[in-house]
Amino acid sequence: MARFAVCLAPTAERSRAHLASMGAAVRPGAGAGRLALVEDEPGYAEGPFTACGRTAVGEVTLHNRPQLLAALAAAGAPAPPGCPDGELLLRCWVRLGAAGIRAAEGMFALAVHEPGDSPADPGELILIRDHMGARTLFYARTQNSWAAATSLRALRRWPALSTGLELAAVRSFLTFAYLPGEETLLRGVREVLPGRCLRLAADGTVTEEHYWEPCERLRETDASPTSYVLRLRELLEEATAMRLPAGEAVGVLLSGGVDSSLVTALAAKLHDHPVHTYSISFGAELPNELGYSGLVAAHCRTRHRILTVSGEAVAARLADAAALLDSPVGDPLTVPNLMLAEAVAGDGPRVVLNGEGGDPVFGGPKNLPMLVQEMHRDELYGPGGASPHGPADDARASAYLRSYRKCFTDLPDLLTPEALEALTPLPAPQRFVTPYLRPAARDGRMDHLLNQLLHCNLRTKGAHHILTKVERLTASQSVQGRAPLFDRRVVDHAFATPPRWKLNGAVEKWVLKEAVRDLLPGTVVDRPKSGMRVPVQQWLGGPLRELAGDLLLGREAGDRGLFREDTVRAWMRGEGALLPRQGGKLWLVLTLELWLRAYYVG
């Protein structure tokens, strides 16, 4: 298990020294000392490897190797059939350019060193992240040197980088419950965005190429949904089949909702080895979906297992789970997700599928508040939809942030006056969603509001919460988490489907449900989305109460000067607009504090 780090300094010797200071193992002669592995961290890094005059290192898992090998052969540049996935992706980039990366289906972060024209020229670094953002990649610059890594902890250890807490990222996290863009909580460290290729030059310039972005390509003459339903079914089967591990059992995380249920049904239909399914219970006294998940498991004849998660287990494991993530995720399912990954690993499967992606790709209930708000736009803001506090763009973006129901509206009461004053000149969090909700004119821009919302969800929550959380937690147990509904071709098809077939009257994700109706019982396909009740308030009032008090009211948190103690105390007493079903605003503050301590950020 390893992750990787790379460095572009004026000399190979300085690069090697920088990498060593980050805890990376530099192999003699490999990549001229500019590329290395960060060993003993959970990840799938391999390399360095050389092909076509370039040296690279990567965390690369490809699902469509045969197609990529065929494309290289057709271009007159065949690759060795048994070459590693990272080397195959490197060859695709060198020989086929952006089209080669765009054709890849998988999870990858790749760093390439392109040599300079002379021994004195250090060349350039190229950083490539997969289409959806399943694997992460971070970068920073200091002392005339670039460094990048799939391990944020490695960059945190870099002595040359004088970093600290990025206050704007604190506000973003409290607004979204994750970090929705390129900023991180470490000042000066940025994240490569999905579907991007960054070229880092020795002189400090950065060139960014968008090799893939979802586009709205609608044919308004199509009146019948049949062709969309049938094509989606084909793509779902292909996406699931290519993610199944050859010759071994597979796991599926089965919540009982339609998304995880359809993935379970497809895996059971297409796989010739056992399918293990896993569900979570927080106790029989709480609302749950175990009846639906059990029905699906019986219908698909899987080897089903229910994992009971107690508040005591969450309290004991929360700090460890937070430390596994490169950015905090204010999701109360983080510890249960980690325990599920441990259960899968203990049973033997090395690959576990999930149903993540159905909501951000095909439309779910989280879009409804925005759609209702848009219906009453003129009534709320007057003709033209302008907000009394700003232009129309700000009104829509602010409504989107409020729809998260996190801490966006509570920041004046939660943050200290000093923190609020320091945030005043910094860019507001609306900047992460406005480009999607009010897209500029370009080829393939999203004109329909539902598609704009889905595009925003895909590029923010999908890439920076859902996929990265799954990747880091499963990788910690040497298990690969794979999401067929985030398949690039499935996403392209979703944005080519008229919005009326995604939200058909009051039926959400209609085209997705119709595509798999024959695979599942009608009670599962047609059930309303309810979600699992996570007993966060019970945890905070019981097993987590002492931990939360010690952390949030202790000296270290006080010295950091972020949160008003009176507000935290009130929230701990259950006062204020806490949201038990969504995990509670206090949960975000606790999650952030645990992450900051794990990364020693003052």
Side-chain angles (χ1 to χ4, degrees), residues 54-143:
R54 277 82 167 179
T55 304
V57 65
E59 291 194 53
V60 181
T61 301
L62 298 175
H63 304 316
N64 64 336
R65 281 182 59 93
Q67 292 85 348
L68 299 178
L69 289 168
L72 285 171
C83 71
D85 281 359
E87 181 184 336
L88 178 56
L89 188 65
L90 172 61
R91 290 176 179 272
C92 287
W93 178 76
V94 174
R95 295 302 188 188
L96 305 175
I101 299 296
R102 189 162 50 247
E105 185 63 60
M107 309 179 291
F108 52 84
L110 184 71
V112 183
H113 177 234
E114 190 164 282
D117 296 329
S118 68
D121 182 357
E124 295 181 325
L125 282 180
I126 295 93
L127 308 179
I128 304 171
R129 188 177 177 190
D130 64 71
H131 308 69
M132 302 299 167
R135 299 251 164 94
T136 51
L137 184 54
F138 307 93
Y139 66 101
R141 180 172 175 81
T142 188
Q143 295 185 3

Side-chain angles (χ1 to χ4, degrees), residues 373-591:
Q373 188 263 355
E374 202 71 16
M375 290 170 57
H376 299 282
R377 191 177 181 84
D378 289 350
E379 184 180 329
L380 291 170
Y381 303 121
S387 165
H389 306 294
D393 289 4
D394 289 341
R396 180 178 282 181
S398 296
Y400 184 91
L401 300 186
R402 287 195 300 272
S403 74
Y404 267 78
R405 301 173 70 196
K406 302 303 181 185
C407 293
F408 178 60
T409 59
D410 299 281
L411 293 176
D413 297 321
L414 175 60
L415 297 178
T416 63
E418 295 78 13
L420 289 170
E421 182 179 0
L423 281 168
T424 301
L426 301 181
Q430 284 89 337
R431 72 188 187 278
F432 294 113
V433 301
T434 296
Y436 302 105
L437 303 179
R438 287 291 187 188
R442 59 176 172 80
D443 293 339
R445 59 163 281 167
M446 307 288 179
D447 289 316
H448 290 261
L449 176 60
L450 180 60
N451 282 343
Q452 292 174 9
L453 292 171
L454 295 179
H455 192 197
C456 188
N457 294 342
L458 179 73
R459 280 323 205 186
T460 55
K461 187 172 184 178
H464 299 283
H465 171 187
I466 298 172
L467 285 167
T468 54
K469 181 190 71 170
V470 170
E471 159 68 11
R472 290 304 182 218
L473 296 179
T474 55
S476 73
Q477 304 304 311
S478 300
V479 173
Q480 280 200 11
R482 300 178 181 178
L485 294 181
F486 276 114
D487 182 275
R488 172 182 52 83
R489 295 183 306 156
V490 170
V491 172
D492 283 338
H493 181 72
F495 284 107
T497 299
R500 66 181 178 274
W501 304 134
K502 286 176 281 194
L503 180 60
N504 189 1
V507 181
E508 299 155 352
K509 299 188 283 192
W510 181 86
V511 67
L512 182 64
K513 294 175 181 178
E514 291 304 304
V516 298
R517 181 169 292 280
D518 63 307
L519 293 174
L520 294 164
T523 52
V524 174
V525 175
D526 296 320
R527 58 165 294 204
K529 185 178 179 69
S530 59
M532 182 182 299
R533 169 75 179 276
V534 184
V536 171
Q537 293 307 311
Q538 292 184 23
W539 295 344
L540 290 171
L544 278 169
R545 182 175 182 82
E546 184 176 352
L547 174 66
D550 289 345
L551 290 176
L552 300 181
L553 301 175
R555 176 177 294 180
E556 187 171 341
D559 291 345
R560 198 175 285 114
L562 290 177
F563 304 116
R564 290 177 49 174
E565 185 175 317
D566 57 340
T567 298
V568 173
R569 288 187 182 277
W571 285 9
M572 291 187 66
R573 291 193 298 267
E575 302 170 5
L578 296 182
L579 303 168
R581 184 180 179 280
Q582 294 188 357
K585 301 175 183 181
L586 186 61
W587 186 267
L588 297 186
V589 182
L590 176 59
T591 301

Side-chain angles (χ1 to χ4, degrees), residues 252-258 260-261 264-265 275 277-281 288-307 520-521 523-524 527 532:
V252 184
L253 303 184
L254 176 60
S255 69
V258 66
S260 63
S261 296
T264 300
V275 176
T277 49
Y278 301 84
S279 299
I280 296 174
S281 170
N288 60 67
E289 298 184 298
L290 295 179
Y292 289 105
S293 61
L295 175 62
V296 173
H299 179 77
C300 299
R301 299 182 180 180
T302 67
R303 300 179 181 180
H304 192 50
R305 180 175 172 186
I306 298 172
L307 185 70
L520 294 164
T523 52
V524 174
R527 58 165 294 204
M532 182 182 299

Side-chain angles (χ1 to χ4, degrees), residues 240-266:
T240 304
M242 69 171 52
R243 287 167 174 78
L244 293 170
E248 58 185 88
V250 67
V252 184
L253 303 184
L254 176 60
S255 69
V258 66
D259 301 335
S260 63
S261 296
L262 74 88
V263 172
T264 300
L266 288 170

